[in-house]
Amino acid sequence: MTAAQAPGQQAFVTLNGNLKTEAWWVIADFQPFTTEVRGIPASQIRKSWCKATEFRKDLIPKELMFENGADAMKGAGMSFAIEGRFDGGATKQIAVVGVFQECAGQKGRFMLVLDQPDGEKPRIRFVDAVRTNRQFAALSKGKGGKLVLWGCMECDGYSVLKWDRKKNRFGWEPQAEEP
């Protein structure tokens, strides 16, 4: 078992399994310790949430993030946060992933797309949250500026999010082709 300590907090990441036989992101258990994401209170993201912590590389032990001295996520073209104009508009947006904990105790992973208007507080544009014991998530950019949400670093477990101009909202694409 390995643990990463967030400053003044319980371990953010614990591993429940054997790193010799399983990938770290499969056996990782994350403990959210913050009550807001990018200045937005967890309870404003979802009413049932008491904690939500955005994944950041500095919260995860370097020995997990780096393989043979190389950044494994960067090598896979993945990140925990990606900036862009995902709806094609003028306002910059950021997509982030992390772990939440409901006030009743259940945990899961989330993905947010936030508008980042200049000089203003970020505004929620899209929320996807799933209760799960496997909270790891990462992002990459797909074809045509689409966002790709991954549940692991070396697998086919992904979902593609795109802006639907007709419906004027984000939506998941059916998984038919490579991101």
Side-chain angles (χ1 to χ4, degrees):
M1 173 156 355
T2 302
Q5 196 74 23
Q9 303 290 328
Q10 68 181 16
F12 178 60
V13 181
T14 54
L15 300 179
N16 299 313
N18 185 345
L19 278 174
K20 293 179 180 172
T21 59
E22 298 176 276
W24 74 267
W25 56 87
V26 174
I27 60 174
D29 184 39
F30 298 91
Q31 305 301 322
F33 62 93
T34 57
T35 57
E36 61 180 39
V37 175
R38 304 273 170 142
I40 301 170
S43 62
Q44 285 183 18
I45 299 169
R46 290 275 167 95
K47 289 180 183 185
S48 63
W49 294 6
C50 280
K51 295 180 183 176
T53 302
E54 178 182 344
F55 290 140
R56 298 188 329 251
K57 287 183 180 181
D58 66 325
L59 294 177
I60 299 172
K62 286 188 182 357
E63 63 268 18
L64 299 178
M65 297 300 300
F66 289 81
E67 294 174 7
N68 302 319
D71 183 331
M73 283 189 74
K74 188 175 181 181
M78 295 179 179
S79 181
F80 293 132
I82 296 179
E83 289 191 357
R85 288 179 168 79
F86 307 116
D87 64 359
T91 303
K92 272 193 317 184
Q93 296 165 328
I94 189 159
V96 299
V97 289
V99 60
F100 69 85
Q101 184 168 7
E102 295 178 345
C103 300
Q106 297 94 335
K107 290 192 308 184
R109 68 173 169 241
F110 68 82
M111 174 186 171
L112 298 176
V113 177
L114 306 171
D115 276 347
Q116 299 186 110
D118 290 332
E120 295 179 37
K121 188 176 176 180
R123 200 173 73 239
I124 299 170
R125 289 293 303 280
F126 177 82
V127 179
D128 182 71
V130 179
R131 288 181 184 166
T132 180
N133 293 329
R134 296 203 171 155
Q135 300 99 22
F136 178 85
L139 298 166
S140 67
K141 285 188 179 178
K143 297 174 186 172
K146 298 173 187 172
L147 285 167
V148 183
L149 173 66
W150 297 90
C152 58
M153 285 184 32
E154 296 174 0
C155 69
D156 295 331
Y158 66 89
S159 299
V160 178
L161 185 72
K162 72 171 189 167
W163 179 252
D164 187 324
R165 289 188 199 320
K166 291 179 183 174
K167 295 180 180 177
N168 201 33
R169 64 182 172 102
F170 288 100
W172 295 110
E173 273 191 357
Q175 192 171 358
E177 59 184 72
E178 288 292 312

